[in-house]
Every structure is written in structure tokens, then in C-alpha cells.
């Protein structure tokens, strides 16, 4: 008989058993709720938590949210800046609350938390706040065109031509696997194109960023779906802010 009992315990529930159990549960819940409703007022849903206040704030876009249209639509820019970047700022404020990071400049937080396993939330949000603030200024309406002056000389000395620099940027941006960034950066006396994953940037390699291209899907998916190369090509040709790169260029 004991073998039969073992067999019974191992018998899986039939679909009918599960449906009956679920119906019974719903009936019991309904009865419990009906009883509660008669005795106590329905609790009011708590208000959505207020956005955390803290040392970091979302910088306004340096142009109207439709100013980059049609390369980047107002819808994409609105979500990207108002939701994604704002979320990084809010999460950063939450993560630094009550810690020494709350009084540190953003770049110092990034340097202090890079590669520190139990500080990844602080690092990721601090770095994404920095990267996005830099990305907005790497673009401008009626941008693209040709760099001039000392920047052009540096580009030609480092890549051979501005066209080669543009091609390297396109390649880096389209071959970055998954989420990340493509950058024009200064590494000592020369300029380099680098790609970084997730929230990483040339800052963490001792390089000085000059321009950033966001290749996270949220940067282009509403406008281009899976055509990342179309987004990057249009951005390089029509939006890249070479003046901003020149301002960032060190001696
Ligand atoms: Fe982004």
C-alpha cells in the first residue's frame, strides 16, 4: 500500500484540478474582499513617489526637442532626454543619498566607482548622466559638415583625412555589440575613435572625449527600428557638432 501512496503523491495535478483550485481561490478571495469592504473603507492608493531631490539635475537640451528632426524626431528626443536621462539622474540622486558621493563632482564619482563591483549602481547612473549630458552637446541642428582649424589638423594627422575619421566613427558605432557609445577622443597628442559598452566612456581609459554618439537602442529605435547604421550615418552627416569637439580639444 505504501507504494500506492508514493505513487499518489507523485501524480501531477491534472489541468482540471488546477482549474478547480484556481476557481476556488478566486471565490475565496472574492468572499474575503466582500467581507473587508463591508467593514473597512477601501484604502486609497498611495501617491506616486515624488522625484528624489539631490545634488544632480537634468540639464536642459541645448536646442528645442524638434530641432534635430528629421534625423532624430521630437518623440525620440523627448523620451531619450525626458525619460531615459531623467531616470539616470533620479537613480543617481537616490544612490548617493547619505553617502560621501553626494558632495563629489560627477567626474570624481565616476572615477571612484569605475570597476567597483558593489558601486555599480552609482557608477552606471553617474556615467550615464555624464555621457548623455555630453551627447546632447555633441549634436546640433544643421550640424555635420566639415571641422576646421586646429581640430581639422589633428584629425588629418591622426586619421589621414576627415572622411576616414567619419568612417571609423560609423564603424565603431555600428559594430559596438549591444548597448553603448562611439566616441571621438583625444589620447595624448593624437585623436582616436573608440567604442564603449553600456555606461563606459573614454574617461575611464585616460582619454579626453571630444564627441559622443549614443548607440543604445533608445537613441534611434522609434525612428529607425533596427537600422542603426542609418541613424549613425544621418547623425554624422547632419548633426555632429564639430565646434563642440574643437572646444574640448586640449593642447
Ligand atoms: Fe541614451
Amino acid at each position: 500500500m505504501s507504494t500506492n501512496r508514493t505513487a499518489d503523491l507523485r501524480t501531477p495535478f491534472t489541468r482540471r484540478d488546477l482549474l478547480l483550485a484556481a476557481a476556488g481561490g478566486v471565490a475565496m478571495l472574492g468572499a474575503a474582499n466582500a467581507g473587508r469592504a463591508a467593514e473597512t473603507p477601501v484604502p486609497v492608493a498611495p501617491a506616486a513617489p515624488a522625484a528624489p531631490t539631490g545634488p544632480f539635475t537634468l540639464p536642459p537640451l541645448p536646442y528645442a526637442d524638434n530641432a534635430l528632426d528629421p534625423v532624430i524626431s521630437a518623440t525620440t528626443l523627448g523620451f531619450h532626454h525626458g525619460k531615459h536621462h531623467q531616470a539616470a539622474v533620479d537613480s543617481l540622486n537616490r544612490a548617493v543619498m547619505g553617502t560621501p558621493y553626494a558632495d563629489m563632482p560627477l567626474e570624481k564619482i565616476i572615477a571612484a566607482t569605475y570597476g567597483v563591483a558593489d558601486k555599480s549602481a552609482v557608477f552606471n547612473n553617474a556615467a550615464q548622466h555624464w555621457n548623455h549630458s555630453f551627447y546632447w552637446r555633441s549634436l546640433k541642428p544643421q550640424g555635420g559638415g566639415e571641422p576646421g582649424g586646429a581640430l581639422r589638423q589633428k584629425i588629418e594627422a591622426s586619421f589621414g583625412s576627415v572622411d576616414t575619421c567619419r568612417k571609423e566613427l560609423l564603424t565603431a558605432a555600428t559594430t559596438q555589440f549591444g548597448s553603448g557609445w562611439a566616441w571621438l577622443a583625444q589620447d595624448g597628442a593624437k585623436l582616436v575613435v573608440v567604442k564603449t559598452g553600456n555606461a563606459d566612456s573614454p574617461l575611464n581609459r585616460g582619454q579626453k572625449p571630444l564627441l559622443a554618439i549614443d548607440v543604445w537602442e533608445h537613441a534611434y529605435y522609434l525612428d529607425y527600428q533596427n537600422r542603426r547604421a542609418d541613424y549613425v550615418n544621418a547623425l554624422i552627416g547632419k548633426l555632429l557638432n564639430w565646434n563642440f569637439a574643437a572646444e574640448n580639444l586640449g593642447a
Side-chain angles (χ1 to χ4, degrees), residues 31-111:
N33 283 340
R36 190 180 303 126
E39 293 164 11
T40 55
V42 176
V44 176
T53 55
F56 299 102
T57 54
L58 182 70
L61 285 171
Y63 29 73
D65 66 2
N66 63 354
L68 306 184
D69 194 72
V71 178
I72 299 175
S73 69
T75 305
T76 290
L77 214 48
F79 273 96
H80 198 174
H81 177 257
K83 301 292 183 189
H84 291 274
H85 190 172
Q86 180 73 65
V89 171
D90 291 346
S91 297
L92 177 61
N93 281 330
R94 263 186 226 106
V96 302
M97 199 180 294
T99 76
Y101 300 123
D103 298 317
M104 288 168 64
L106 193 56
E107 286 84 354
K108 282 204 168 180
I109 297 176
I110 293 168

Side-chain angles (χ1 to χ4, degrees), residues 80 84 128 132 135 181 214 216 218-219:
H80 198 174
H84 291 274
Q128 283 296 74
H132 281 95
Y135 169 65
W181 301 80
D214 189 340
W216 283 62
H218 64 230

Side-chain angles (χ1 to χ4, degrees), residues 129-154:
H129 178 29
W130 195 98
N131 293 353
H132 281 95
S133 302
F134 195 84
Y135 169 65
W136 307 131
R137 292 183 292 156
S138 297
L139 312 178
K140 69 170 188 177
Q142 287 88 49
E146 296 292 320
L151 176 62
R152 184 177 196 92
Q153 288 174 8
K154 282 260 188 206

